[in-house]
Amino acid sequence: MVLKGRNFLKMLDFTPEEINYLIELSLQLKDEKKRGISQASYLSGKNIALIFEKTSTRTRCSFEVAAHDMGAHVTYLDPSGSQIGKKESIADTARVLGRMYDGIEYRGFEQTKVEDLAKYAQVPVWNGLTNESHPTQMIADMMSIKEHFGTLSGIKFVYMGDARYNMGNSLMVTCAKLGMDFVACTNKEYFPEEALVNECKNIAKETGATITLTEDVAAGCKDADVIYTDVWVSMGEPDDVWEKRIKDLSPYQVNAKAFSYAKENAVFMHCLPAFHDLNTTIGQQIHDKFGIDCMEVTDEIFESERSIVFDEAENRMHSIKAVMYATLG
Ligand code: CP
Ligand code: NVA
């Protein structure tokens, strides 16, 4: 499997074989790390730029630790730490950074920005999240499911909440590519865009996947293996959407009722960060304004035995390592 020199911008760009290869490589790199095998020669001497126009905990730390483990060096540019967009175009930035770095990670707003960066950089560009897609998260998520269930095929994967944004889009595409049964279970205003749904249904014809959109929680969650959710308001969205989101998406909160329809051994997943209690500034503000203690998932489910969210978070690092190693190594 040759991925050297490739960008990693969105899941639609990859074949099922390539995605499975990255999942297997992630599991292998995780195993090596757990066994204390040095990976320091894998990207020895490489320089990597990390551009974050939005904040991050997992993605930034994963790129940094993965790079360090494999012998590479990183430069972190924070949301205010570069000229990008304000004084210098993406095309010019790409042509400068491409002369200095062997690979560039970019987290930002429109998908067109990361696509432009890749067009001009002449080195591999990795999408660390845009409004439309979050591909590195996909490898970690599928790796986590494979680790837990031993398989991906035939898994019923239910996504609840805002399915129109980066996570819903990317998960639908990934499930379609990997022959899984994907369900977006949410208010119909939050279904993924029709064009992408149709594209995924076409992919599904080839892979044996199924794509279902439903507003019915009982039918949507029936016999689910995985129930997944994400924040109701994403980074970069205005504060005044909270009230409507809470009203529209509360029926699609992941809670004990939703899990009562799922398989007995079903798991809970979330890309994180999650609003499951009041121990965050925003969680507390929302509580003061709307009187709720949690949002997309109850604390009961988040903290339960079913929750594999911290394995999933750890797997961000192993899978980002695989993406960098496969495209640069
Ligand atoms: N899941 C995820 O991308 O987390 P961060 O925003 O912390 O990077
Ligand atoms: N949909 C979320 C994902 C965070 C990892 C956001 O874009 O903020």
Side-chain angles (χ1 to χ4, degrees), residues 8-134:
F8 194 70
L9 305 179
K10 58 183 185 300
M11 298 311 289
L12 280 173
D13 299 339
F14 291 85
T15 63
E17 292 73 26
E18 289 168 341
I19 299 169
N20 276 315
Y21 168 75
L22 288 170
I23 295 166
E24 291 308 318
L25 183 59
S26 307
L27 289 163
Q28 185 189 319
L29 292 169
K30 180 172 182 174
D31 181 59
E32 280 180 10
K33 173 137 181 162
K34 298 284 175 199
R35 289 193 288 130
I37 296 172
S38 171
Q39 300 171 328
S41 64
Y42 292 2
L43 293 183
S44 161
K46 304 279 188 202
N47 288 297
I48 287 160
L50 305 176
I51 306 171
F52 280 84
E53 298 206 284
K54 290 175 176 168
T55 52
S56 168
T57 297
R58 276 146 293 273
T59 310
R60 176 189 175 179
C61 296
S62 295
F63 270 99
E64 293 213 11
V65 173
H68 293 151
D69 277 358
M70 294 191 291
H73 304 280
V74 299
T75 303
Y76 171 69
L77 295 166
D78 76 12
S80 60
S82 76
Q83 313 281 22
I84 301 169
K86 297 176 280 290
K87 286 173 70 183
E88 195 162 29
S89 68
I90 288 281
D92 292 357
T93 306
R95 285 178 288 179
V96 172
L97 296 181
R99 303 272 180 130
M100 300 181 192
Y101 291 93
D102 301 290
I104 303 170
E105 179 277 351
Y106 178 82
R107 166 173 286 198
F109 294 83
E110 300 81 15
Q111 179 74 14
T112 50
K113 294 235 174 82
V114 75
E115 302 272 349
D116 267 1
L117 191 66
K119 187 165 152 202
Y120 292 102
Q122 308 218 328
V123 296
V125 170
W126 308 297
N127 178 358
L129 178 145
T130 58
N131 296 347
E132 292 87 344
S133 108
H134 196 6

Side-chain angles (χ1 to χ4, degrees), residues 271-316:
C271 54
L272 305 182
F275 291 118
H276 60 95
D277 61 18
L278 299 180
N279 297 327
T280 62
T281 315
I282 293 177
Q284 188 61 53
Q285 283 167 357
I286 295 291
H287 172 261
D288 295 345
K289 207 162 166 195
F290 303 104
I292 53 176
D293 293 341
C294 57
M295 285 186 261
E296 70 274 13
V297 57
T298 58
D299 198 47
E300 182 193 3
I301 294 295
F302 186 91
E303 297 292 355
S304 71
E305 290 284 303
R306 295 179 174 288
S307 176
I308 61 165
V309 296
F310 296 110
D311 289 335
E312 188 184 355
E314 176 190 332
N315 286 342
R316 295 297 309 288

